């Protein structure tokens, strides 16, 4: 593993900003799962920002 792959956030950002695929079937459970995944990733990033702020700014 090299350092370039360690900080490759492209797939995670693509998950947030991808468009809906009209050929893929969807239902309530799938939409709920994706919403919870996006929410948990956003909460993780906010927490990471708070920790970095506390470590480096204070």
């Amino acid at each position: 593993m090299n350092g370039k792959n360690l900080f490759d956030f492209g797939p995670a950002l693509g998950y947030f900003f991808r468009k809906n695929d009209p050929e893929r079937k969807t239902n309530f459970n799938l939409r709920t799962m994706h919403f919870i995944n996006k929410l948990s990733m956003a909460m993780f990033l906010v927490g990471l920002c708070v920790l970095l702020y506390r470590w480096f700014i204070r």
Side-chain angles (χ1 to χ4, degrees):
M1 178 179 350
N2 60 20
K4 289 182 181 179
N5 293 337
L6 186 62
F7 294 104
D8 183 20
F9 296 114
L13 292 175
Y15 182 77
F16 274 102
F17 300 113
R18 69 179 172 195
K19 299 195 190 277
N20 291 337
D21 186 6
E23 296 179 13
R24 183 180 291 177
K25 291 184 179 181
T26 184
N27 60 21
F28 175 75
N29 292 333
L30 187 63
R31 286 187 310 232
T32 303
M33 179 195 69
H34 284 292
F35 172 75
I36 291 171
N37 285 344
K38 290 177 184 179
L39 182 64
S40 65
M41 283 192 282
M43 289 174 65
F44 172 78
L45 291 175
V46 168
L48 186 63
C49 290
V50 168
L51 286 176
L52 290 174
Y53 172 78
R54 287 182 181 178
W55 286 337
F56 293 115
I57 303 300
R58 281 191 181 183

